[in-house]
Amino acid sequence: GEFTRRVSFLATSGTTYQVAVDGYGGALGDIRLNGRLIELGDFLYATDFETFSQGAGEVVGTDGWRGERVNNEVQGIINGLGGSGNAAYLGFLTPTNRYAGVFRTLNFDPVAQGRPIVSFSVEVGVFDSTNDRYDIFAVSVYNRTGQYLAGIWFDNFDLKIFGVNGTSSRFETGVKFTSELLFRLEGAIDFSANTWSATYGGIPLFENKPFNVDGRKLDLGDISFEWYVDNQDPAKAGDNFLLIDNYSVSASSGFKPPVIVFQPESQTARSGDVALFSVSATGTLPLKYQWFLDGNALAGQTNSFLFLFDIQSKDAGSYTVAVRNSSGTLTSAPATLTISQASAVPIQIGIKL
């Protein structure tokens, strides 16, 4: 019932791969693998930060990562949530400027290269302040000359998520984030049409919004992770910080409809148990999910997995998930949840008079 971290590797068509998990129940137990396929020609960059050394200052200077107005103390590598391995952080300690950013140069011209659709995926989480000062964290896109194009802002004061499509153009998404947890941020930028879409934790933030309204050159220099101190004095910054993990960027020649790689699987469980359904799909990001029970949409169930806690007879039935992106919608094969009743164990009670 637990998740481990992701792994990534280059795969060769027609080759069978085995994944060994050390220390997991010896030769026993079930291990569920959930994967997303990226065509090699689409691949631009990916990291799970596992090859980075832990400690302050260990992001900048590793694997081509750079910093902008960032002192070593405010960026580094730590052990992620629940012992899940390395993750990058930005923030926490006192910065030397009101702005600090870390990024990995991509230097890609999507239109000229014939791959105008750029997709990105990253797990991000804002961890709260303990000093009652709250700042803004952002995932921002810059062109190859260093000009700001667009971004997604996480305001730690009111937990609102904003879209930004220019140096002075900001709009509310209507979505709030939950602090202290990692959620997957996914987006797709159409550099030829100057539009983009994004989801956060499977929830749409915006769809086909103008990407940059400033008329700037539309190519890809980098995607930057940023900290904007709310106070005019950087010494009065919040000790909040941004956690970053499992970051990837790809590009394609056009929007690709969803393809389900692994279908949800039927299962049998007892009353009171936990059930987990999952689906693995590929296609142009962001992918949006909606789970159904017997054809009825399940409110709030918009991730690639579906957790059911303390299941009862009412939860039995046929589960499907619809996977959607800008190119279409695909519904999975049904997976049946069967509830088995626990066998009654007779109890003998002896009374001695």
Side-chain angles (χ1 to χ4, degrees):
E2 296 184 0
F3 288 108
T4 186
R5 68 179 302 101
R6 288 172 170 80
V7 295
S8 59
F9 58 90
L10 296 179
T12 302
S13 177
T15 303
T16 300
Y17 295 89
Q18 291 180 321
V19 179
V21 181
D22 292 338
Y24 185 84
L28 304 175
D30 294 328
I31 300 173
R32 184 183 297 269
L33 300 178
N34 203 358
R36 183 167 69 88
L37 305 177
I38 299 178
E39 295 180 15
L40 186 58
D42 291 350
F43 180 82
L44 293 181
Y45 179 74
T47 184
D48 58 6
F49 299 103
E50 288 306 302
T51 60
F52 291 54
S53 299
Q54 291 190 7
E58 294 293 343
V59 174
V60 175
T62 303
D63 194 26
W65 282 75
R66 302 168 61 186
E68 178 73 23
R69 285 179 280 177
V70 59
N71 47 308
N72 281 342
E73 291 78 8
V74 303
Q75 55 87 14
I77 301 293
I78 60 174
N79 193 29
L81 293 178
S84 60
N86 285 354
Y89 74 85
L90 176 66
F92 189 64
L93 296 178
T94 304
T96 55
N97 294 280
R98 290 190 62 204
Y99 165 87
V102 294
F103 60 94
R104 208 273 192 182
T105 300
L106 299 168
N107 192 27
F108 181 69
D109 190 336
V111 176
Q113 294 292 324
R115 292 188 284 162
I117 311 302
V118 172
S119 299
F120 63 88
S121 176
V122 62
E123 293 177 5
V124 292
V126 176
F127 287 72
D128 217 350
S129 293
T130 62
N131 60 4
D132 294 325
R133 298 167 184 166
Y134 306 97
D135 303 317
I136 293 172
F137 295 91
V139 179
S140 301
V141 183
Y142 291 81
N143 65 18
R144 295 194 297 172
T145 61
Q147 293 179 310
Y148 183 87
L149 295 178
I152 297 171
W153 286 15
F154 298 84
D155 190 337
N156 198 29
F157 178 77
D158 54 15
L159 305 183
K160 290 182 178 180
I161 303 177
F162 294 89
V164 184
N165 52 10
T167 54
S168 59
S169 178
R170 188 178 77 166
F171 58 90
E172 288 199 31
T173 65
V175 178
K176 287 191 173 184
F177 65 90
T178 302
S179 59
E180 314 292 326
L181 292 173
L182 286 174
F183 288 89
R184 181 160 292 279
L185 176 68
E186 293 185 334
I189 308 164
D190 186 341
F191 279 85
S192 61
N194 192 24
T195 59
W196 68 325
S197 304
T199 63
Y200 169 76
I203 300 173
L205 294 177
F206 48 85
E207 193 162 359
N208 292 324
K209 280 275 191 179
F211 176 56
N212 177 265
V213 298
D214 294 334
R216 292 178 169 174
K217 172 68 175 176
L218 296 182
D219 55 24
L220 180 60
D222 66 80
I223 297 176
S224 180
F225 301 91
E226 302 173 324
W227 179 19
Y228 294 91
V229 176
D230 185 64
N231 198 290
Q232 292 291 327
D233 182 0
K236 296 180 180 179
D239 59 0
N240 41 197
F241 64 95
L242 180 70
L243 203 62
I244 309 154
D245 204 357
N246 296 308
Y247 167 53
S248 65
V249 187
S250 59
S252 61
S253 58
F255 287 99
K256 298 180 179 180
V259 174
I260 294 178
V261 181
F262 295 108
Q263 299 279 355
E265 297 180 355
S266 297
Q267 55 191 285
T268 299
R270 295 180 302 180
S271 295
D273 281 354
V274 175
L276 168 64
F277 291 100
S278 65
V279 66
S280 181
T282 186
T284 301
L285 300 178
L287 296 174
K288 306 174 185 68
Y289 303 88
Q290 176 62 61
W291 287 89
F292 297 83
L293 171 58
D294 295 331
N296 299 310
L298 297 172
Q301 301 299 339
T302 56
N303 284 296
S304 61
F305 56 87
L306 172 65
F307 263 125
L308 300 173
F309 298 94
D310 188 24
I311 56 176
Q312 304 297 327
S313 57
K314 63 179 177 60
D315 298 310
S318 177
Y319 287 83
T320 56
V321 57
V323 186
R324 178 174 67 90
N325 67 6
S326 58
S327 295
T329 301
L330 182 63
T331 300
S332 71
T336 302
L337 176 61
T338 303
I339 309 297
S340 65
Q341 300 299 322
S343 301
V345 178
I347 301 176
Q348 293 182 343
I349 301 176
I351 301 175
K352 185 176 181 180
L353 299 176

